[in-house]
Short mmCIF file of all heavy atoms in Angstrom, two decimals:
data_model
loop_
_atom_site.label_atom_id
_atom_site.label_comp_id
_atom_site.label_asym_id
_atom_site.label_seq_id
_atom_site.Cartn_x
_atom_site.Cartn_y
_atom_site.Cartn_z
N TYR A 19 56.11 99.99 100.32
CA TYR A 19 55.08 99.91 99.28
C TYR A 19 55.19 101.08 98.30
O TYR A 19 55.07 100.93 97.09
CB TYR A 19 53.72 99.90 99.97
CG TYR A 19 52.51 100.08 99.09
CD1 TYR A 19 52.10 99.08 98.19
CD2 TYR A 19 51.73 101.24 99.17
CE1 TYR A 19 50.97 99.25 97.40
CE2 TYR A 19 50.60 101.41 98.39
CZ TYR A 19 50.22 100.41 97.51
OH TYR A 19 49.10 100.57 96.73
N ASN A 42 58.79 105.75 114.81
CA ASN A 42 59.05 104.87 115.94
C ASN A 42 58.41 103.52 115.64
O ASN A 42 57.19 103.39 115.58
CB ASN A 42 58.48 105.46 117.23
CG ASN A 42 58.84 104.65 118.45
OD1 ASN A 42 58.54 103.47 118.53
ND2 ASN A 42 59.47 105.30 119.42
N ASP A 58 49.47 108.44 113.39
CA ASP A 58 49.50 107.09 112.83
C ASP A 58 49.69 107.14 111.32
O ASP A 58 50.02 108.20 110.76
CB ASP A 58 48.21 106.34 113.20
CG ASP A 58 46.96 107.09 112.75
OD1 ASP A 58 47.04 107.88 111.77
OD2 ASP A 58 45.90 106.89 113.35
N SER A 79 43.29 103.01 102.86
CA SER A 79 42.47 101.82 102.61
C SER A 79 43.05 100.98 101.47
O SER A 79 43.06 99.75 101.53
CB SER A 79 41.03 102.22 102.27
OG SER A 79 40.45 102.98 103.32
N ARG A 150 83.26 97.49 108.21
CA ARG A 150 82.24 96.43 108.33
C ARG A 150 81.75 96.05 106.96
O ARG A 150 81.91 96.77 105.98
CB ARG A 150 81.07 96.92 109.19
CG ARG A 150 80.32 98.09 108.59
CD ARG A 150 79.14 98.52 109.43
NE ARG A 150 78.39 99.61 108.82
CZ ARG A 150 77.47 99.44 107.89
NH1 ARG A 150 77.18 98.22 107.45
NH2 ARG A 150 76.82 100.47 107.37
N LYS A 197 73.36 108.23 110.62
CA LYS A 197 72.35 107.77 111.57
C LYS A 197 72.81 108.02 113.00
O LYS A 197 73.99 108.29 113.26
CB LYS A 197 72.03 106.30 111.36
CG LYS A 197 73.20 105.34 111.48
CD LYS A 197 72.74 103.93 111.16
CE LYS A 197 73.89 102.93 111.26
NZ LYS A 197 73.45 101.56 110.95
N ILE A 276 71.56 131.45 119.42
CA ILE A 276 71.64 131.67 117.98
C ILE A 276 71.25 130.38 117.26
O ILE A 276 71.93 129.36 117.38
CB ILE A 276 73.06 132.11 117.55
CG1 ILE A 276 73.44 133.40 118.28
CG2 ILE A 276 73.13 132.28 116.03
CD1 ILE A 276 74.85 133.88 117.97
N ASP A 309 76.65 131.68 101.45
CA ASP A 309 77.15 131.05 100.21
C ASP A 309 76.89 129.55 100.22
O ASP A 309 77.76 128.75 99.91
CB ASP A 309 78.65 131.33 100.05
CG ASP A 309 78.95 132.81 99.97
OD1 ASP A 309 78.68 133.40 98.91
OD2 ASP A 309 79.42 133.36 100.98
N LYS A 395 77.75 98.89 74.87
CA LYS A 395 77.95 99.39 73.52
C LYS A 395 79.22 100.24 73.44
O LYS A 395 80.00 100.13 72.50
CB LYS A 395 76.73 100.23 73.09
CG LYS A 395 76.83 100.77 71.67
CD LYS A 395 75.62 101.61 71.31
CE LYS A 395 75.76 102.18 69.89
NZ LYS A 395 74.62 103.06 69.54
N ARG A 403 87.65 99.81 68.01
CA ARG A 403 88.59 100.85 67.57
C ARG A 403 90.02 100.40 67.82
O ARG A 403 90.91 100.59 66.99
CB ARG A 403 88.31 102.16 68.30
CG ARG A 403 87.20 102.99 67.71
CD ARG A 403 87.23 104.41 68.23
NE ARG A 403 87.04 104.47 69.67
CZ ARG A 403 85.85 104.52 70.26
NH1 ARG A 403 84.75 104.49 69.53
NH2 ARG A 403 85.75 104.58 71.58
N ASP A 481 62.11 76.74 80.22
CA ASP A 481 62.40 76.81 78.79
C ASP A 481 63.89 76.98 78.51
O ASP A 481 64.30 77.26 77.38
CB ASP A 481 61.61 77.95 78.14
CG ASP A 481 61.85 79.29 78.82
OD1 ASP A 481 62.67 79.32 79.77
OD2 ASP A 481 61.22 80.27 78.43
N TRP A 487 68.77 85.71 90.03
CA TRP A 487 67.89 85.58 91.20
C TRP A 487 67.22 86.90 91.53
O TRP A 487 66.04 86.95 91.87
CB TRP A 487 68.72 85.10 92.39
CG TRP A 487 67.90 84.78 93.61
CD1 TRP A 487 67.47 85.63 94.58
CD2 TRP A 487 67.38 83.48 93.95
NE1 TRP A 487 66.73 84.96 95.51
CE2 TRP A 487 66.65 83.65 95.17
CE3 TRP A 487 67.46 82.23 93.37
CZ2 TRP A 487 66.01 82.58 95.80
CZ3 TRP A 487 66.83 81.16 94.02
CH2 TRP A 487 66.12 81.35 95.21
N PRO A 530 103.92 113.26 90.49
CA PRO A 530 104.93 112.21 90.72
C PRO A 530 104.41 111.04 91.56
O PRO A 530 104.78 109.89 91.34
CB PRO A 530 106.06 112.95 91.43
CG PRO A 530 105.92 114.37 90.97
CD PRO A 530 104.44 114.59 90.84
N ILE A 576 126.23 80.16 68.13
CA ILE A 576 126.22 80.83 66.82
C ILE A 576 126.01 79.81 65.72
O ILE A 576 125.21 80.01 64.79
CB ILE A 576 127.53 81.62 66.61
CG1 ILE A 576 127.66 82.73 67.66
CG2 ILE A 576 127.57 82.22 65.21
CD1 ILE A 576 128.97 83.50 67.59
N VAL A 596 113.34 77.77 71.02
CA VAL A 596 113.48 76.41 70.52
C VAL A 596 112.47 75.53 71.22
O VAL A 596 112.44 75.46 72.47
CB VAL A 596 114.91 75.87 70.75
CG1 VAL A 596 115.04 74.46 70.20
CG2 VAL A 596 115.92 76.81 70.12
N PRO A 641 100.04 82.24 61.33
CA PRO A 641 101.19 82.10 60.42
C PRO A 641 102.46 82.65 61.07
O PRO A 641 102.41 83.47 62.00
CB PRO A 641 100.79 82.95 59.21
CG PRO A 641 99.31 83.10 59.31
CD PRO A 641 98.97 83.06 60.77
N MET A 660 111.16 100.16 79.79
CA MET A 660 112.44 100.30 80.48
C MET A 660 113.13 101.63 80.16
O MET A 660 114.21 101.89 80.67
CB MET A 660 113.37 99.13 80.11
CG MET A 660 112.89 97.80 80.65
SD MET A 660 114.09 96.46 80.42
CE MET A 660 114.09 96.29 78.65
N GLU A 663 113.95 104.74 74.32
CA GLU A 663 113.17 105.48 73.34
C GLU A 663 113.69 105.14 71.95
O GLU A 663 114.90 105.21 71.70
CB GLU A 663 113.29 106.99 73.59
CG GLU A 663 112.81 107.43 74.96
CD GLU A 663 111.32 107.26 75.13
OE1 GLU A 663 110.61 107.22 74.10
OE2 GLU A 663 110.86 107.14 76.28
N VAL A 723 105.74 92.67 98.45
CA VAL A 723 104.51 92.02 98.92
C VAL A 723 103.30 92.86 98.57
O VAL A 723 102.30 92.38 98.04
CB VAL A 723 104.58 91.77 100.45
CG1 VAL A 723 103.20 91.38 100.98
CG2 VAL A 723 105.59 90.68 100.76
#
Side-chain angles (χ1 to χ4, degrees):
Y19 169 70
N42 185 303
D58 56 26
S79 301
R150 63 178 182 83
K197 58 183 180 180
I276 301 177
D309 300 285
K395 182 181 178 183
R403 278 196 297 273
D481 55 3
W487 186 275
I576 298 176
V596 181
M660 292 188 293
E663 301 292 337
V723 168

